[in-house]
Amino acid sequence: MTDTFPPAQRLAAEALGTGLLVATVVGSGIMADKLAGGNVALALLGNTIPTGAILAVLILGLGPISGAHFNPAVSLVMGLNRALPWPEVGSYTVAQIVGGCLGTLVAHGMFDLPLLQFAATARTGPAQWFAEFVATFGLLVTILTVVRFRIEAIPYAVGLYITAAYWFTASTSFANPAVTIARALTNTFAGIAPGNVPMFIVAQVLGALGAMALMQWLLSSVRTPSKSGAMAGE
């Protein structure tokens, strides 16, 4: 279905979707932090629910246009699996990063914060990196299996997976290089110090590739469905 839309419209959909996703992540983090009264668990819950919900909405709405990746790790795997033309992997990635960074600015504007800022929150160390590997691995396992067996359930499966992964991973499941870069530009609840971004991205890419390798074997006897619907990620 995405083949019926010109490249410019597909890229715009990827930028828009990633931007709205990041605006939700950052904005709900700011709101939750304000209202939680110092209770970090409650603030995280207030950050989690909107993120899972907006993912389902964005995939439902924009999936037919671009495939609703919103995530360079997802686009990379789709390119390697020949579900996305390889030249478009790079353009999708650029659109996602630009859209995500604009989403951070939108969140700051809504809460009357300085538009340009850098995060000070340290998120680093082997446990955090491993958590990002696991978070992205699980996200791609979810996408690659559900798109094979229940493609119509992708929006809900991805939203629910990210909702769960916020809580079972030590890193709170960034699982998305574009979102990680965008979250380095906010010194709020959702932020990550810029110096910690590269290792998060390395872990995310390795997790995505690990999931792809495993799923190629696990699903090797399953007939590939026709192209349709959305394949998305946080």
Side-chain angles (χ1 to χ4, degrees):
M1 185 181 298
T2 62
D3 292 341
T4 64
F5 290 86
Q9 292 179 345
R10 297 201 298 272
L11 294 178
E14 284 296 301
L16 175 62
T18 312
L20 289 172
L21 171 60
V22 171
T24 302
V25 172
V26 175
S28 66
I30 296 168
M31 180 67 82
D33 195 33
K34 284 185 175 183
L35 299 179
N39 186 324
V40 179
L42 185 58
L44 181 60
L45 182 62
N47 195 201
T48 302
I49 296 173
T51 301
I54 199 65
L55 269 170
V57 171
L58 292 174
I59 297 168
L60 282 168
L62 298 175
I65 300 175
S66 68
H69 297 184
F70 312 145
N71 186 334
V74 174
S75 297
L76 173 63
V77 169
M78 295 307 148
L80 292 171
N81 282 340
R82 300 181 181 179
L84 178 70
W86 189 247
E88 293 189 20
V89 173
S91 55
Y92 264 49
T93 297
V94 171
Q96 292 154 0
I97 292 172
V98 171
C101 292
L102 290 175
T104 297
L105 299 182
V106 167
H108 290 166
M110 290 191 294
F111 287 91
D112 196 25
L113 297 175
L115 295 183
L116 299 177
Q117 51 183 276
F118 293 100
T121 304
R123 301 177 189 263
T124 189
Q128 293 274 308
W129 303 333
F130 182 55
E132 277 304 291
F133 175 91
V134 171
T136 315
F137 178 91
L139 174 62
L140 267 297
V141 167
T142 300
I143 292 170
L144 293 173
T145 52
V146 177
V147 81
R148 188 64 63 92
F149 299 117
R150 292 284 303 276
I151 193 169
E152 74 282 358
I154 276 286
Y156 315 107
V158 171
L160 288 171
Y161 173 81
I162 292 298
T163 300
Y166 255 69
W167 286 85
F168 78 73
T169 63
S171 61
T172 65
S173 185
F174 285 44
N176 184 329
V179 170
T180 303
I181 292 169
R183 288 173 66 166
L185 302 179
T186 181
N187 193 24
T188 63
F189 183 80
I192 175 174
N196 300 155
V197 167
M199 283 304 300
F200 262 50
I201 293 177
V202 169
Q204 290 158 0
V205 171
L206 291 176
L209 295 177
M212 183 188 74
L214 177 61
M215 290 303 102
Q216 283 180 340
W217 171 75
L218 193 62
L219 301 174
S220 59
S221 61
V222 180
R223 185 171 61 87
T224 302
S226 58
K227 284 187 178 181
S228 63
M231 289 179 278
E234 193 209 277

